[in-house]
Amino acid sequence: MNNYSKKGLKLLLIGLFVVSQNAIAQSSKKALFNYTIDFNQPQNQTFAVELKSNGFPKDTLDFTMPQWMPGYYQIMSYAKQINKIEAKDAKGKVLPLNKKGDNVWQLILPKNTPFTINYSVTAKRNFVAAAVVDTTHAYVVTTAAFLYIPEFLQSSVHVKVKTPWKDVATGLTPVSGKKHEFTAPDFDILYDCPILSGSLDELPSFSVGGKKHRFVGYKMGEFDKVRLMNQLQKIIEQATTLIGDIPYNEYTFIGIGPGNGGIEHLNNTTVSFTGEKLSNRDVEIKILNFLTHEYFHHYNVKRIRPFELGPFDYSQMNHTNQLWISEGLTVYYEYLLVKRAGLISEQEVLTNLSRNITNIQNNPGRSHQSLAQASYDTWKDGPFGTSGKDASKSISYYEKGPLVGWIVDLAIRNSTDNQKSLDNVMSYLYHYYYKKLKRGFTDAEFRQACETIAGQSLSAEFDYIYSTKELDYATYLGYAGLEVKADDTTHKWTVSRKATVTPKQEAILKSWLGEK
């Protein structure tokens, strides 16, 4: 393994990003919530949490454990992992802490009375949306660790990490002069920042637009680290050019070890990762797509978002019709950004989309569930539409979403003589709703944005979102001089160039691929 700057790694692990001046000002306020998370008994596959407070300006406090985490739209019931919860006053006297529900404990005491709550948490699930502690490392999503009080979600939080290992990686803001101590201006930021501790490695960093980008992780394996980071730099250059802004001061890929899955965050992403098989071309494409997907999410869902997805209600399901935008369009752009970065061929990007077509066309659920319904029902069906009572009647927005995004994109390109595209829609949503209005968008506002850019009604295209109408591949792919053919024997669908194309079709195809 190559040796990289120890100083650079130390600085990285102190804090993975610098928050805005506004966030710093908020986090400097005296915290009502002062947490210590302790990994010093990893052999038990548990961690301990202590909450110290000088008291709250009310006498009845409902301490609540989140039921889910943003980015993974399933009820996780984190409270089931809590053990031995206890409250004490400043003199060490045990206070009544009454269980009110599956994830709520009520503490009643005079206003502004100091107290301490201690509990331990079982951490045996090695999954990106859960918590695991073993004798070599700890990975904890903060929704699985820290209680909140619903009325005080906007309160600042202080977190101290006790660990037997030398390194801590987290997106929380470091406390100056304090080892492994961090702050968050509120619980939304706290819950956006998982904690990884262990003996971690760092890959060589790079800058885009003057902003540093890093990759730090656990058990990342042996591979060409310079090559991967050069590839990520090219991808991020394409993504930031598409949107036209870089909203963070620093971005970090946090590799949590071998496994499956990734979760997006405002200034970082936690990803299951090993580079051991990157020398295999198919694996390399898969990993580049995956990392691009999680990176692009910091725009699409963390900032460009349906209005239902923030501010969050952590106690129950947060339904939206638009996860096909948040996830499906992110799949679509992972393909395009890797291609536009010059890292895959035209055929390889068409192979990605051919796979989506094959999967959706071979799924009988396409005749039963619309894309909007799949988005809304993900809480019961699962993100891939296979966990419900009848999996044959559900679809995945990861499969159909990119295809409908492609249709809308090509419709816009065709109607504007290739002057506008879905790229313009995404940039508009970011700058208008996120930056100017500081909120998410409704279903109607998303459609309005698309139709404004297209300069015409897109009612036919939006029928593909809210109905189970069969996708008209021939018409829309034809706008780019492409066609799709089905093999009746293998049931595979393949997208390829037509034998002859018009100058307009050729122009749309080249622009779409980023070759103009």
Side-chain angles (χ1 to χ4, degrees):
M1 183 173 291
N2 293 331
N3 292 317
Y4 300 111
S5 167
K6 297 291 185 181
K7 181 178 180 181
L9 177 57
K10 182 178 179 181
L11 291 173
L12 169 64
L13 298 170
I14 289 174
L16 291 175
F17 64 87
V18 179
V19 297
S20 66
Q21 290 300 313
N22 181 55
I24 291 173
Q26 291 185 52
S27 65
S28 67
K29 296 186 297 184
K30 185 176 180 181
L32 290 172
F33 297 84
N34 295 279
Y35 283 104
T36 298
I37 184 168
D38 190 337
F39 300 131
N40 278 306
Q41 292 187 341
Q43 69 277 7
N44 297 327
Q45 288 203 279
T46 63
F47 60 89
V49 178
E50 179 181 78
L51 166 61
K52 279 187 173 293
S53 179
N54 288 324
F56 291 79
K58 60 177 300 185
D59 58 14
T60 302
L61 304 171
D62 287 342
F63 288 93
T64 307
M65 182 62 81
Q67 293 278 56
W68 67 290
M69 72 166 296
Y72 189 68
Y73 309 101
Q74 298 287 286
I75 294 297
M76 297 295 289
S77 301
Y78 294 118
K80 290 183 178 180
Q81 307 308 316
I82 289 183
N83 311 298
K84 302 177 183 177
I85 187 167
E86 184 178 63
K88 294 182 178 181
D89 65 16
K91 295 182 179 179
K93 180 182 178 181
V94 175
L95 299 170
L97 191 61
N98 301 313
K99 191 80 176 289
K100 279 186 63 179
D102 291 339
N103 65 320
V104 181
W105 292 262
Q106 188 174 82
L107 178 64
I108 300 175
L109 76 175
K111 294 179 182 179
N112 302 310
T113 300
F115 66 88
T116 301
I117 294 178
N118 289 96
Y119 52 94
S120 65
V121 181
T122 300
K124 296 182 178 181
R125 188 176 180 188
N126 189 14
F127 179 55
V128 72
V132 63
V133 177
D134 60 29
T135 55
T136 61
H137 83 304
Y139 170 72
V140 175
V141 296
T142 41
T143 46
F146 300 122
L147 299 165
Y148 71 95
I149 302 174
E151 305 97 304
F152 294 91
L153 278 170
Q154 298 307 309
S155 299
S156 59
V157 184
H158 181 278
V159 176
K160 181 177 182 179
V161 180
K162 291 184 177 180
T163 176
W165 306 291
K166 65 185 179 70
D167 302 324
V168 173
T170 178
L172 296 169
T173 305
V175 176
S176 179
K178 298 288 187 178
K179 184 179 181 181
H180 302 336
E181 293 193 30
F182 308 90
T183 62
D186 54 50
F187 275 81
D188 287 326
I189 297 299
L190 175 70
Y191 290 152
D192 191 54
C193 299
I195 297 170
L196 175 67
S197 184
S199 295
L200 309 179
D201 295 315
E202 181 188 1
L203 308 187
S205 64
F206 60 84
S207 292
V208 173
K211 307 296 179 69
K212 187 169 287 187
H213 296 74
R214 291 182 163 124
F215 202 132
V216 60
Y218 166 77
K219 282 191 175 181
M220 292 195 287
E222 294 291 340
F223 58 97
D224 190 335
K225 297 156 177 78
V226 172
R227 174 181 170 84
L228 176 63
M229 294 304 277
N230 286 341
Q231 290 171 325
L232 288 177
Q233 179 173 355
K234 293 175 181 178
I235 290 165
I236 290 172
E237 286 170 349
Q238 290 296 321
T240 55
T241 298
L242 189 158
I243 299 298
D245 187 45
I246 304 178
Y248 49 78
N249 292 309
E250 181 176 297
Y251 189 91
T252 306
F253 296 87
I254 304 175
I256 64 172
N260 295 299
I263 299 289
E264 64 275 2
H265 307 291
L266 286 167
N267 296 70
N268 63 87
T269 179
T270 49
V271 292
S272 300
F273 173 82
T274 175
E276 291 287 356
K277 296 181 180 179
L278 270 170
S279 57
N280 178 286
R281 180 60 176 167
D282 289 339
V283 173
E284 181 179 55
I285 293 173
K286 182 179 179 180
I287 289 178
L288 290 177
N289 284 343
F290 170 53
L291 295 176
T292 302
H293 182 100
E294 298 307 330
Y295 173 79
F296 195 68
H297 263 320
H298 89 80
Y299 287 124
N300 191 30
V301 80
K302 297 305 295 184
R303 294 179 171 92
I304 302 169
R305 63 174 179 81
F307 81 98
E308 299 95 340
L309 297 184
F312 298 111
D313 183 341
Y314 297 99
S315 67
Q316 61 185 346
M317 296 177 282
N318 288 214
H319 289 284
T320 176
N321 293 327
Q322 299 188 92
L323 281 179
W324 77 270
I325 298 171
S326 301
E327 293 293 351
L329 293 191
T330 302
V331 173
Y332 180 62
Y333 274 105
E334 78 184 53
Y335 301 158
L336 291 186
L337 292 171
V338 177
K339 171 62 183 73
R340 293 173 185 177
L343 302 176
I344 60 175
S345 66
E346 174 184 320
Q347 184 55 54
E348 286 169 328
V349 74
L350 293 180
T351 296
N352 285 328
L353 287 158
S354 297
R355 189 179 301 114
N356 290 123
I357 295 174
T358 297
N359 290 341
I360 201 67
Q361 292 304 132
N362 286 305
N363 182 356
R366 74 183 190 281
S367 299
H368 297 275
Q369 188 180 54
S370 72
L371 200 47
Q373 288 172 326
S375 298
Y376 190 89
D377 290 341
T378 190
W379 294 92
K380 67 179 181 67
D381 290 344
F384 304 106
T386 57
S387 303
K389 292 182 179 180
D390 191 344
S392 66
K393 292 186 178 181
S394 65
I395 62 168
S396 169
Y397 44 72
Y398 286 96
E399 298 290 0
K400 189 174 180 180
L403 300 177
V404 172
W406 196 13
I407 283 172
V408 173
D409 192 3
L410 293 173
I412 294 172
R413 290 175 184 274
N414 184 66
S415 68
T416 62
D417 199 24
N418 203 36
Q419 297 304 301
K420 301 289 183 180
S421 71
L422 190 62
D423 296 3
N424 299 97
V425 174
M426 301 304 289
S427 182
Y428 169 79
L429 294 173
Y430 173 86
H431 288 279
Y432 185 71
Y433 288 101
Y434 169 68
K435 296 208 72 174
K436 183 178 180 179
L437 299 186
K438 303 185 186 306
R439 67 170 175 86
F441 48 83
T442 66
D443 296 49
E445 287 169 338
F446 177 78
R447 176 171 173 171
Q448 181 183 39
C450 292
E451 292 184 334
T452 298
I453 298 295
Q456 67 177 34
S457 170
L458 295 175
S459 60
E461 291 75 16
F462 272 74
D463 278 349
Y464 295 128
I465 299 165
Y466 298 100
S467 77
T468 58
K469 183 174 70 172
E470 289 286 351
L471 302 182
D472 182 0
Y473 301 112
T475 296
Y476 294 99
L477 273 60
Y479 293 152
L482 299 171
E483 61 184 358
V484 61
K485 295 180 179 179
D487 186 314
D488 293 334
T489 301
T490 64
H491 303 290
K492 288 185 177 180
W493 296 60
T494 304
V495 179
S496 60
R497 285 194 184 217
K498 289 184 174 182
T500 58
V501 296
T502 67
K504 181 178 179 179
Q505 290 172 324
E506 181 72 18
I508 288 177
L509 180 61
K510 285 183 175 290
S511 176
W512 175 71
L513 292 171
E515 296 178 353
K516 66 176 181 179

